[in-house]
Structure formats: structure tokens, C-alpha cells
Amino acid sequence: MPTGRTPEPGPLSHHVAHLLATEIARRGLRQTDVAAQAGMSASQLSRVLAVKKVFTLDQLDAVCRAVGIPIAQVVVMPGGRARRARRTGGIAPIDIGPARRTVRAVAKAPQDDLGGDDGRG
């Protein structure tokens, strides 16, 4: 049953945020530039990289493209490491098991929701 609460970042969110923050710094990119190229605000990117907010799949894909890494290198399903014999770019995937909490939060956004953090959507 939907609770309407915002999902709390789990192990995968922590891994993705750490990996992306590390890659952004390693490549000498500015978070503001990555955010602009990904079509999101700098504060949104800052909040997901600080693991205060969860990425949407579209946001994650856009940020991965802006940073220049395939999303498949960031998110690896359990058992995926065995099927991938070779890693590229020095980015280590992480295997994530089942979530500890079984309560799911689902929120439905209005059709005109732009997905911003400014309270307008």
C-alpha cells in the first residue's frame, strides 16, 4: 500500500552517489556543469550525491551520460559481476542484495510535474 513518503536512500543509492562523486572529481568536472548537462539543478545533483535524495532512473541515466560513463557500469544487479568478466574505466560495480526494509514508498506525481526541487513540481 502506498505511503506517500519519500524513499530513503539504500545501499545502492550510497554506492551510486559515491561512485559518481568520485568520477566527477577524478575527471575534473564541476557539479554545476554536470547538472546543467543532465538537465537538473545543481542543488538536485548535490542532494543525490550527498545521499539526501534518491536518483530517478532518468536522472541517473542523464548524469551518467554527462559524466561519460555507461549506466550499466554504475548499477549491477546481484550476480552481474560473474557474467561481466571485464571492467572498464576503473569503475568497480557493486552487487546489491535484497533491501532490508520491505515497506515500499510510492508517490504519484501530477501530470504537469517537472520533477524540480523548487516546490513547484
Side-chain angles (χ1 to χ4, degrees):
M1 173 148 240
T3 64
R5 292 183 296 178
T6 302
E8 292 188 29
L12 182 59
S13 292
H14 284 268
H15 167 72
V16 168
H18 174 74
L19 189 144
L20 287 174
T22 300
E23 279 300 300
I24 289 168
R26 186 180 74 79
R27 295 172 186 235
L29 303 171
R30 293 176 7 154
Q31 284 187 18
T32 53
D33 295 336
V34 171
Q37 193 172 359
M40 58 193 301
S41 71
S43 66
Q44 281 180 303
L45 180 60
S46 176
R47 289 174 60 201
V48 292
L49 293 179
V51 198
K52 294 180 180 179
K53 184 179 177 182
V54 177
F55 268 120
T56 68
L57 286 175
D58 291 332
Q59 288 172 333
L60 178 58
D61 182 50
V63 170
C64 286
R65 288 174 191 267
V67 173
I69 57 175
I71 192 171
Q73 281 187 268
V74 176
V75 181
V76 177
M77 295 304 294
R81 185 176 288 169
R83 289 191 303 266
R84 272 179 91 135
R86 193 177 85 148
R87 290 185 211 140
T88 58
I91 300 171
I94 186 173
D95 290 334
I96 300 296
R100 291 183 188 164
R101 291 179 22 184
T102 58
V103 178
R104 293 178 18 181
V106 178
K108 293 186 178 180
Q111 280 186 296
D112 58 341
D113 183 6
L114 300 176
D117 281 348
D118 58 5
R120 294 184 291 148

